[in-house]
Amino acid sequence: MFSNTVFTHYHLLSGGRLVAHSHPYTSSSHHTHTANELDLIASLNLTASAGNAVLERYNGSGARVMGMNLEAKAFFSNHFDMQGGITLQSSRYKKPEQWSDNPAVLAEKKMFRTPDIYGYITANWEITHRLTATFNATGTGPMTVQHMEGSGTDVDLAVRTQSFFDASVKLTYNFKLFNRVNLDVSAGVSNIFNSYQNDFDSGINRDSGYIYGPALPRCINAGVSISL
């Protein structure tokens, strides 16, 4: 009996050469290959002779991706301006796609790591001639991510994440040295609200790909720059 997932079969070539390969089995699995295709399959078989399998990849059911983006910029005075944007989108497969090797794990129609809403905002304020403040923030709505079996979970999971709002502020003061050199001293806080993933895997069997959200937790920053 043939498996409904893998159909291993052989092609007999002129000269008695036998080439084997596999692909998903259907009732209409009868097919042919050109001579070049069979030579390529034979070469792959030799390359994989150490025990690896030669696999064929097939396209999925297709996908529908749509959305809209809105952006705006405003100058409230010569010393203060703001800019922001928001994106609304929908990313779905036409049919649920099986993403796990475990047949008990449900297929997903929504694409992974594609939030339905995200946006940003920036603001610049020249408080005095030498003191400036900048504010930057990005917001990301919930999204679905893969959490593979390991030390963090006993079975592959499609995890729905929380929303994140990553905001940062920085103050910069300019000193004029010798009437020619600009010395800028800055200090600020990144990820003010500590909007950060709180369920990392750990241990030797951790899923190293299970990472999402802002790259860093709350941080205090300081810096100095010199320019002529």
Side-chain angles (χ1 to χ4, degrees):
M1 174 180 286
F2 290 116
S3 166
N4 62 355
T5 56
V6 177
F7 172 40
T8 303
H9 58 287
Y10 302 86
H11 294 273
L12 181 63
L13 308 185
S14 58
R17 187 166 58 136
L18 201 62
V19 175
H21 73 128
S22 304
H23 59 71
Y25 172 75
T26 66
S27 58
S28 58
S29 286
H30 176 73
H31 64 286
T32 59
H33 291 287
T34 65
N36 288 337
E37 290 173 341
L38 289 171
D39 285 338
L40 175 60
I41 293 172
S43 298
L44 291 173
N45 280 338
L46 289 175
T47 302
S49 60
N52 299 322
V54 177
L55 304 176
E56 292 184 353
R57 175 172 291 183
Y58 291 80
N59 291 334
S61 61
R64 294 186 179 93
V65 179
M66 62 189 74
M68 62 181 296
N69 173 257
L70 299 173
E71 289 189 283
K73 189 171 185 178
F75 293 87
F76 296 94
S77 71
N78 292 332
H79 307 289
F80 184 68
D81 66 84
M82 294 183 66
Q83 181 174 339
I86 187 171
T87 299
L88 304 174
Q89 70 167 14
S90 174
S91 303
R92 304 289 190 275
Y93 295 109
K94 292 182 179 178
K95 297 179 181 178
E97 296 286 337
Q98 188 65 43
W99 58 275
S100 171
D101 292 333
N102 185 345
V105 176
L106 296 178
E108 287 288 331
K109 192 171 183 179
K110 192 178 190 318
M111 292 185 183
F112 290 106
R113 298 183 181 274
T114 56
D116 290 338
I117 182 171
Y118 55 91
Y120 75 96
I121 186 171
T122 64
N124 301 286
W125 182 19
E126 186 179 320
I127 303 171
T128 69
H129 180 64
R130 296 190 179 277
L131 179 63
T132 59
T134 58
F135 175 81
N136 300 279
T138 58
T140 306
M143 59 183 172
T144 304
V145 299
Q146 297 168 320
H147 192 180
M148 309 307 291
E149 178 184 347
S151 59
T153 175
D154 295 330
V155 64
D156 296 342
L157 295 176
V159 177
R160 190 68 172 169
T161 72
Q162 66 192 68
S163 298
F164 292 99
F165 185 70
D166 182 5
S168 302
V169 64
K170 182 173 75 170
L171 293 173
T172 303
Y173 194 88
N174 173 260
F175 295 91
K176 198 76 170 180
L177 304 179
F178 311 113
N179 294 322
R180 297 186 60 184
V181 179
N182 290 306
L183 174 66
D184 291 332
V185 178
S186 62
V189 182
S190 301
N191 200 350
I192 297 170
F193 304 108
N194 202 32
S195 183
Y196 192 60
Q197 180 182 354
N198 58 9
D199 63 342
F200 288 101
D201 273 3
S202 61
I204 191 172
N205 294 319
R206 67 184 181 276
D207 177 8
S208 59
Y210 185 58
I211 299 174
Y212 58 87
L216 294 171
R218 183 189 296 118
C219 300
I220 298 175
N221 310 299
V224 175
S225 65
I226 297 176
S227 62
L228 298 177

